[in-house]
Amino acid sequence: MNEIELKHKVFWKYFFRKGRFINFKTPKLFTEKIQWLKVYDCTPIKTTLSDKILVRDWIKEQIGEEYLKKVYGVYEKYEDINFRELPREYVIKTNHGSKMQRLVIEGRIPEKNYNELFNGFLKVNYAFKSGYEMQYDKIKPLIFVEEYIKNKRELFEYLFFCFNGEPEVILFASGKRSDNICCTMFDKEWNNLHFNYGGNLHAEEIPCPENFDKMLDIARKLSKDFRFVRVDLHNVNGKIYFGEMTFTPASGYMKFSNPKYDRILGNMLDLKQ
């Protein structure tokens, strides 16, 4: 697909999803600027870093291997997994998109046979699943088994929205391993901004995580070469883990609980740099 075709498709997809037209010459909103990045800033390095397996070598070079979760195996198809060699708890994932994973926490072998599910995942071209996120187009789909980590009974996520190399806002997410997903945005001084997109706002006070300054430093290092990237990190009892690099969160169609933040975040993203 050439640039003109991609621009046309992104333009109309955004219109049908958001109900308004994009001005590609002077985009203002954050959701509009994500569409601009899809068309004009989809580089090969973004494909490498969107691959959950290939990104690991880059992370080793940038910040060190100690921030990576263990990987127990990489497989071309689900039938290749030798479950008897795995620990009692782990996560089965694919490397080429989002929401294609299953937890195994009840024992070494899953209670359900995920053969058909995961081999179906492998057939998905995630570039076209949610709206022309072309950084996923050339990723070779694979299955891998990763270390299971958690804060007590769940896993907290800290999603750093980095604009031109500076983490400006952080989405704290909890409950993704349950039916009670809550998300709240904070600024880089950990002030609650009382907005989000997706899920409920946290009703309780959320403490600033241990080693938060270190997490900010990691986000700066990993985002320094990009106009925008969301750097996803975990913090388990002060131990920081890398999650993933996300260049087009929600494919740029997020619905902010307070619409003004679409413009506020858009102002943070300078496309000229």
Side-chain angles (χ1 to χ4, degrees):
M1 187 185 306
N2 62 39
E3 184 180 288
I4 295 174
E5 292 173 321
L6 178 59
K7 180 180 177 181
H8 177 81
K9 290 180 180 296
V10 168
F11 178 90
W12 285 109
K13 184 76 170 182
Y14 185 81
F15 174 75
F16 289 126
R17 291 291 300 270
K18 302 295 290 182
R20 56 177 174 261
F21 295 116
I22 304 172
N23 184 338
F24 276 105
K25 291 184 178 180
T26 57
K28 303 295 184 183
L29 302 177
F30 178 68
T31 54
E32 290 178 317
K33 290 185 177 182
I34 292 296
Q35 310 310 312
W36 188 97
L37 292 171
K38 287 180 183 180
V39 176
Y40 297 112
D41 194 30
C42 187
T43 56
I45 187 61
K46 288 187 176 182
T47 295
T48 299
L49 302 188
S50 297
D51 185 321
K52 294 179 174 65
I53 295 171
L54 295 183
V55 69
R56 292 173 60 85
D57 287 335
W58 187 79
I59 291 298
K60 290 178 188 178
E61 295 174 359
Q62 299 296 316
I63 58 174
E65 190 173 7
E66 64 269 25
Y67 297 100
L68 293 171
K69 287 168 275 186
K70 297 176 184 176
V71 168
Y72 302 116
V74 180
Y75 315 93
E76 293 193 351
K77 57 184 183 298
Y78 185 84
E79 298 92 316
D80 292 340
I81 303 173
N82 186 342
F83 292 100
R84 299 190 182 279
E85 294 181 348
L86 299 176
R88 293 189 61 80
E89 297 183 330
Y90 52 88
V91 187
I92 310 173
K93 294 183 174 183
T94 62
N95 66 320
H96 66 300
S98 179
K99 298 180 181 178
M100 294 187 281
Q101 64 180 43
R102 289 296 183 272
L103 305 179
V104 177
I105 57 176
E106 71 279 356
R108 188 168 286 112
I109 300 175
E111 289 185 351
K112 296 181 180 180
N113 186 338
Y114 293 131
N115 187 319
E116 185 176 347
L117 177 69
F118 272 88
N119 288 335
F121 286 159
L122 293 176
K123 297 176 183 178
V124 173
N125 186 334
Y126 199 78
F128 303 102
K129 185 173 178 62
S130 299
Y132 307 103
E133 300 173 274
M134 301 309 294
Q135 68 269 23
Y136 295 106
D137 186 39
K138 302 301 182 182
I139 297 176
K140 178 184 177 181
L142 295 167
I143 297 169
F144 67 107
V145 178
E146 186 180 71
E147 177 183 8
Y148 174 77
I149 61 173
K150 58 185 176 181
N151 301 78
K152 296 181 180 179
R153 294 184 178 181
E154 64 168 303
L155 181 63
F156 299 148
E157 293 184 306
Y158 300 86
L159 315 182
F160 290 76
F161 285 62
C162 301
F163 300 85
N164 308 107
E166 181 60 29
E168 296 289 355
V169 293
I170 302 94
L171 180 67
F172 172 75
S174 65
K176 289 194 173 182
R177 291 178 176 173
S178 69
D179 295 326
N180 185 30
I181 298 175
C182 293
C183 304
T184 302
M185 284 282 196
F186 294 81
D187 67 17
K188 58 186 175 182
E189 282 77 42
W190 203 251
N191 296 308
N192 192 329
L193 299 175
H194 302 287
F195 84 98
N196 68 5
Y197 64 94
N200 300 311
L201 288 168
H202 290 88
E204 71 279 12
E205 182 179 348
I206 304 299
C208 184
E210 189 176 350
N211 294 340
F212 182 60
D213 287 342
K214 181 64 175 177
M215 297 175 78
L216 286 170
D217 184 52
I218 289 171
R220 289 188 182 101
K221 288 180 179 178
L222 298 183
S223 66
K224 61 183 175 63
D225 294 326
F226 303 102
R227 291 184 174 97
F228 171 80
V229 64
R230 196 188 75 195
V231 177
D232 299 356
L233 302 176
H234 308 296
N235 191 324
V236 181
N237 301 320
K239 167 69 173 171
I240 300 169
Y241 293 92
F242 170 77
E244 61 184 84
M245 304 280 281
T246 304
F247 293 98
T248 51
S251 198
Y253 303 130
M254 59 275 291
K255 295 181 179 179
F256 294 105
S257 58
N258 189 330
K260 72 177 184 179
Y261 281 97
D262 201 355
R263 178 62 66 94
I264 290 172
L265 268 61
N267 291 340
M268 296 178 182
L269 178 49
D270 185 355
L271 297 177
K272 296 178 181 178
Q273 289 195 27

